[in-house]
Amino acid sequence: MSNAAAPAREGPDRSDAPAHVAIIMDGNGRWAAARGLPRAEGHRRGVEALRRVVRASHELGIRYLTIFSFSSENWSRPASEIGDLFGLLRRFIRNDLASLHRDGVKVRIIGERDGLESDICALLNEAEELTRDNTRLTLVVAFNYGSRQEIAKAAQKLAREVADGKRDPDTIDAETIGVHLDAPDIPDPDLIIRTSGEQRLSNFLMWQAAYSELVFVPIHWPDFDKAALESAIAEFARRERRFGGLVAKTAS
Ligand code: IPE
Ligand code: IPE
Ligand code: MG
């Protein structure tokens, strides 16, 4: 069934909400540059946008929200900017963990933890531990994350199982690889949003994005808000998802 004839709507209602929205939060630096501010201020305002979007995700009935917070390739930025980004993550967890927990948010972290400073690892573990039984919204933070690295890690785990005589190589298929990724229990994203106008994945969830709908919005991340999220969801609701078949499935 096509959505083309559906009546025009102001914004999405809860039934339109995709179960899993993933966001490439891009454009903090450009937001700051446009205002003559340091990039760090863009990142700081980006955290405020994140708070807004977590709240809006609850309200819109989204079950999983994944956010790209620091990529494996972001290590190529100046040390001072990396320090700012790590400082913001520390502060976000210290300041917001209690209220996320109160709101029923379950925090999950994907990405490489080996090599991170021990206090960051402790905070990430604390966030996951404290919120592990929450069920309202799962917030997946992709930190020090790269999709190629995640897939390579899965390949390593499988190779080790084969080397240890625990697995027949012929049993390795797409599903086996999927369950060796960082968060195998979380469904693939239905909708991936990238802010700031760039139209690429930048090594984000490339395996999981096989059938995600991609929406690129021109807004810089610090300006992103509930209305922008609703409009991306409305765009998603207009898409026909076919998953390789002939019959369109409803968007969510
Ligand atoms: C997103 O904003 C934050 C991270 C990548 C960590 P950017 O810092 O990439 O901002 P632009 O793309 O330079 O404007
Ligand atoms: C992607 O943004 C990474 C995050 C949002 C954390 P980048 O700004 O690093 O991506 P490129 O370099 O423009 O592709
Ligand atoms: Mg960027």
Side-chain angles (χ1 to χ4, degrees):
M1 193 178 75
S2 163
N3 289 334
R9 279 185 300 241
E10 287 290 305
D13 59 32
R14 289 175 70 92
S15 60
D16 283 332
H20 184 173
V21 176
I23 307 184
I24 303 173
M25 309 183 294
D26 198 17
N28 294 350
R30 277 164 282 175
W31 181 93
R35 289 160 180 78
L37 297 168
R39 290 178 61 85
E41 181 59 15
H43 294 314
R44 202 185 63 71
R45 294 290 289 266
V47 176
E48 289 174 17
L50 173 60
R51 290 192 182 103
R52 283 199 296 275
V53 168
V54 170
R55 235 183 353 259
S57 298
H58 282 146
E59 290 162 8
L60 294 169
I62 290 164
R63 308 283 310 150
Y64 303 89
L65 174 68
T66 298
I67 49 145
F68 203 3
S69 163
F70 189 86
S71 80
S72 308
E73 290 73 32
N74 287 147
W75 288 104
S76 62
R77 296 191 179 197
S80 61
E81 177 157 347
I82 295 171
D84 292 338
L85 290 166
F86 275 64
L88 282 171
L89 178 78
R90 283 187 177 93
R91 248 169 291 147
F92 176 67
I93 296 179
R94 286 196 194 116
N95 295 340
D96 290 48
L97 183 59
S99 68
L100 290 169
H101 183 43
R102 238 184 351 262
D103 290 343
V105 177
K106 177 176 186 158
V107 179
R108 294 285 299 275
I109 317 289
I110 56 172
E112 185 53 62
R113 291 199 216 182
D114 283 356
L116 292 180
E117 288 166 83
S118 59
D119 76 302
I120 288 259
C121 288
L123 280 171
L124 299 180
N125 289 337
E126 182 191 339
E128 286 191 314
E129 275 302 309
L130 178 71
T131 63
R132 64 180 311 140
D133 296 325
N134 292 343
T135 53
R136 193 153 165 231
L137 166 75
T138 300
L139 174 65
V140 184
V141 181
F143 188 77
N144 196 23
Y145 174 85
S147 192
R148 287 179 169 175
Q149 290 80 349
E150 181 189 33
I151 295 165
K153 239 185 335 180
Q156 259 180 25
K157 287 183 216 157
L158 285 164
R160 211 164 285 128
E161 290 175 17
V162 171
D164 292 347
K166 291 182 187 137
R167 175 178 291 283
D168 172 355
D170 289 340
T171 66
I172 298 175
D173 57 13
E175 198 189 330
T176 329
I177 294 175
V179 300
H180 285 74
L181 297 175
D182 287 357
D185 52 317
I186 294 189
D188 290 344
D190 301 288
L191 166 64
I192 297 182
I193 300 169
R194 182 168 186 149
T195 58
S196 218
E198 308 302 343
Q199 303 194 359
R200 53 178 173 263
L201 287 177
S202 301
N203 205 13
F204 184 51
L205 301 180
M206 295 190 301
W207 179 276
Q208 298 86 339
Y211 275 100
S212 304
E213 295 298 325
L214 310 181
V215 171
F216 301 103
V217 301
I219 305 168
H220 296 315
W221 176 249
D223 287 332
F224 199 82
D225 58 8
K226 185 177 182 187
L229 180 60
E230 286 178 315
S231 113
I233 292 173
E235 165 68 31
F236 168 82
R238 287 192 289 273
R239 303 274 177 92
E240 285 186 353
R241 303 183 79 187
R242 286 188 286 272
F243 299 97
L246 298 179
V247 181
K249 307 229 178 4
T250 54
S252 46

